């Protein structure tokens, strides 16, 4: 696993090198901040690699993508960034490719679906860091008190939410369309309604497809408009806040990722999980999410960055991270480890859905900007008095313009 590619020679000369690593925070408090993981990883790596120091900067998901983009624009790119998108840096030739960085065994160990999603023009630049699939979570205690079963279609979601409201549940259905991760909540609902971000035939953006408009009209009228999404407007509600409210027993239903299981258990909330249903039954697809790690050319530390990335993707380090946050590994060997370990049995239904889950259009160099636009504006589509088709059309036009400009 330590075999190096013959092309990965040193580009920095002799002497100590300090790698700057910017990473996203997966925790929701100081107690479980990702900073602890990265600092421990850096310390262990430094002990095994004299002459290479690692300076870790962990930032909120709300700002980390924009923060890294500014660093790059200002000529202060980090050596390594663990963020949400990579493709917009490829066109400007700002990233090393994976085969310029990684040992052959490390690169070959990525799950094929995610390795392919990390490619632009058949070359891999984005290295998948962790993944997850999403399910609809519900509070079993609140559901039992209201005499409810898990929803099987949109009518059930609405009826269950109304019943929870009658039981004085503050937020029957949490709809976090705030800046933290609105692009995920949006995609879950688009897939549930039979749509998605892109056209299934030609791959072009289809944000304002008829199915997506129908979805957001339903959310606006049947959930938000009927007071079933709580007192905070969806466009101002972040995922972390929605999760905290759920673990406080104030939310009946929300879409969530595996990390919720651990937090709910700590809070004594009995959690139910089902795929987010479609309009009349089973949804056409489950959403999969991958977060990415990449290395920038600007600092010129290719060899050292490659060594750190090889170390990061060793099974022990992968499992330490995904185990802490109940996420899914993106390598074959770590996935096999998770399947075989009963400690992670609750994650198996998420892991089973991963190979066929639908991902964001990561390979589009415009995606980072489009995602940011969605984060800032999609919440407006469900505001009382708004016209969802107009909001979606504007986002769609800007997405197409951005892609055509690339």
């Amino acid at each position: 696993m330590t075999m190096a590619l013959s092309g990965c020679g040193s580009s920095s000369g002799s002497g100590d090198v300090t790698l700057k690593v910017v990473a996203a925070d997966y925790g929701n408090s100081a107690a479980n901040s990702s900073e602890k993981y990265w600092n421990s990883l850096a310390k262990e790596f430094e002990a095994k690699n004299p002459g290479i120091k690692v300076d870790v900067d962990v930032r909120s998901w709300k700002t980390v993508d924009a923060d890294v983009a500014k660093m790059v624009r200002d000529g202060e790119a980090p050596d390594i960034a663990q963020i949400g998108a990579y493709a917009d840096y490829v066109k400007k030739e700002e990233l090393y490719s994976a085969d310029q960085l990684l040992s052959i065994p490390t690169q070959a160990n990525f799950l094929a679906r995610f390795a392919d999603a990390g490619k632009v023009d058949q070359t891999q630049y984005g290295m998948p860091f962790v993944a997850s699939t999403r399910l609809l979570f519900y509070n079993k205690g609140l559901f039992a008190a209201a005499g409810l079963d898990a929803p099987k279609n949109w009518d059930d979601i609405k009826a269950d939410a109304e019943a929870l409201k009658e039981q004085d549940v503050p937020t029957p259905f949490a709809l976090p369309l705030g800046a933290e991760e609105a692009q995920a909540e949006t995609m879950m609902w688009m897939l549930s309604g039979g749509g998605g971000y892109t056209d299934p035939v030609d791959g072009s953006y289809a944000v304002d497809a008829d199915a997506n408009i129908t979805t957001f009209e339903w959310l606006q009228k049947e959930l938000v408009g009927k007071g079933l999404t709580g007192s905070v407007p969806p466009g101002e509600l972040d995922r972390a806040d929605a999760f905290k409210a759920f673990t406080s027993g104030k939310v009946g239903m929300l879409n969530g990722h595996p990390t919720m299981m651990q937090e709910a258990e700590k809070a004594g909330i009995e959690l139910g999980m089902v795929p987010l249903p479609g309009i009349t039954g089973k949804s056409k697809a489950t959403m999969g999410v991958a977060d990415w790690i990449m290395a920038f050319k600007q600092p010129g530390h290719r060899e050292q960055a490659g060594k750190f990335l090889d170390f990061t993707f060793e099974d022990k380090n992968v499992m330490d991270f995904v185990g802490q946050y109940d996420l899914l590994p993106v390598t074959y060997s770590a996935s096999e480890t998770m399947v075989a370990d009963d400690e992670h049995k609750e994650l198996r239904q998420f892991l089973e859905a991963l190979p066929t889950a639908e991902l964001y259009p990561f390979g589009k160099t415009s995606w980072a900007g489009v995602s940011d636009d969605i984060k800032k504006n999609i919440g407006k589509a469900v505001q009382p008095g708004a016209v969802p088709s107009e909001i979606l059309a504007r986002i769609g036009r800007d997405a197409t313009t951005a892609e055509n400009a690339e």
Side-chain angles (χ1 to χ4, degrees):
M1 290 297 288
T2 59
M3 183 189 304
L5 295 175
S6 60
C8 290
S10 174
S11 58
S12 59
S14 60
D16 287 353
V17 165
T18 297
L19 295 176
K20 182 176 181 180
V21 178
V22 177
D25 195 350
Y26 289 74
N28 57 14
S29 68
N32 69 346
S33 170
S34 301
E35 189 171 4
K36 295 181 179 179
Y37 169 84
W38 284 106
N39 286 339
S40 175
L41 186 74
K43 183 177 180 180
E44 187 177 349
F45 175 80
E46 289 172 349
K48 295 180 178 181
N49 294 272
I52 307 177
K53 299 187 180 300
V54 182
D55 177 17
V56 178
D57 182 2
V58 175
R59 303 194 177 205
S60 166
W61 268 117
K62 285 186 181 182
T63 64
V64 68
D65 288 277
D67 291 345
V68 169
K70 184 177 187 303
M71 292 175 194
V72 175
R73 288 195 304 270
D74 292 346
E76 299 174 353
D79 291 279
I80 293 169
Q82 186 274 298
I83 52 179
Y86 67 87
D88 53 327
Y89 299 113
V90 174
K91 183 182 178 183
K92 297 176 183 177
E93 300 182 351
E94 292 169 329
L95 299 181
Y96 291 119
S97 63
D99 58 9
Q100 290 176 309
L101 296 160
L102 302 177
S103 67
I104 292 172
T106 299
Q107 191 174 2
N109 198 26
F110 291 128
L111 296 172
R113 183 171 183 82
F114 291 92
D116 289 343
K119 293 178 180 178
V120 175
D121 296 331
Q122 306 305 311
T123 298
Q124 184 179 0
Y125 295 91
M127 291 158 279
F129 179 64
V130 290
S132 69
T133 50
R134 302 297 170 91
L135 295 175
L136 175 64
F137 293 2
Y138 62 96
N139 184 317
K140 282 189 173 181
L142 296 178
F143 265 59
L148 303 174
D149 296 320
K152 297 179 180 178
N153 54 49
W154 285 11
D155 284 344
D156 286 350
I157 289 174
K158 175 188 172 185
D160 290 352
E162 289 175 332
L164 292 168
K165 184 178 181 180
E166 290 176 2
Q167 296 289 319
D168 296 322
V169 175
T171 303
F173 196 108
L175 187 65
L177 294 175
E180 184 181 5
E181 207 195 27
Q183 83 285 2
E185 187 74 16
T186 296
M187 184 171 173
M188 280 182 274
W189 280 104
M190 285 181 171
L191 292 174
S192 175
Y197 282 131
T198 57
D199 186 288
V201 177
D202 62 14
S204 62
Y205 282 115
V207 176
D208 60 340
D210 289 345
N212 296 336
I213 292 172
T214 297
T215 294
F216 274 83
E217 288 176 342
W218 185 86
L219 290 172
Q220 180 196 45
K221 179 182 177 182
E222 303 298 342
L223 292 187
V224 180
K226 287 184 165 55
L228 302 177
T229 56
S231 60
V232 179
E236 299 174 17
L237 180 63
D238 285 337
R239 178 190 66 182
D241 293 332
F243 280 14
K244 286 179 182 178
F246 186 92
T247 56
S248 298
K250 299 176 181 178
V251 173
M253 294 175 276
L254 54 66
N255 291 315
H257 52 63
T259 303
M260 263 307 285
M261 295 189 301
Q262 187 179 105
E263 297 301 313
E265 183 178 356
K266 288 179 182 177
I269 301 293
E270 189 175 2
L271 189 68
M273 300 182 293
V274 293
L276 178 63
I279 298 174
T280 58
K282 185 177 179 180
S283 175
K284 73 163 190 173
T286 299
M287 189 185 81
V289 174
D291 297 325
W292 302 93
I293 195 164
M294 63 213 69
F296 286 89
K297 294 179 180 178
Q298 194 181 100
H301 300 145
R302 181 178 67 173
E303 180 186 15
Q304 294 84 357
K307 285 183 178 180
F308 183 73
L309 288 166
D310 273 336
F311 181 71
T312 300
F313 284 110
E314 289 180 8
D315 281 357
K316 174 187 177 299
N317 298 325
V318 171
M319 292 305 297
D320 282 350
F321 191 87
V322 298
Q324 181 176 351
Y325 296 106
D326 282 339
L327 294 167
L328 305 178
V330 291
T331 62
Y332 287 106
S333 57
S335 296
E336 290 168 359
T337 298
M338 178 171 280
V339 169
D341 189 346
D342 282 345
E343 182 182 345
H344 302 292
K345 62 183 179 181
E346 291 184 339
L347 288 170
R348 287 172 186 162
Q349 80 178 95
F350 294 92
L351 196 60
E352 289 169 1
L354 198 59
T356 57
E358 189 162 330
L359 307 176
Y360 298 133
F362 288 117
K364 290 183 178 294
T365 55
S366 60
W367 171 243
V370 173
S371 175
D372 190 54
D373 189 11
I374 293 165
K375 289 180 182 181
K376 293 176 180 176
N377 293 296
I378 195 66
K380 299 173 185 176
V382 296
Q383 289 177 348
V387 181
S389 61
E390 293 179 356
I391 306 297
L392 293 171
R394 202 278 303 156
I395 294 173
R397 284 195 303 271
D398 288 352
T400 299
T401 299
E403 181 64 17
N404 290 340
E406 296 295 337

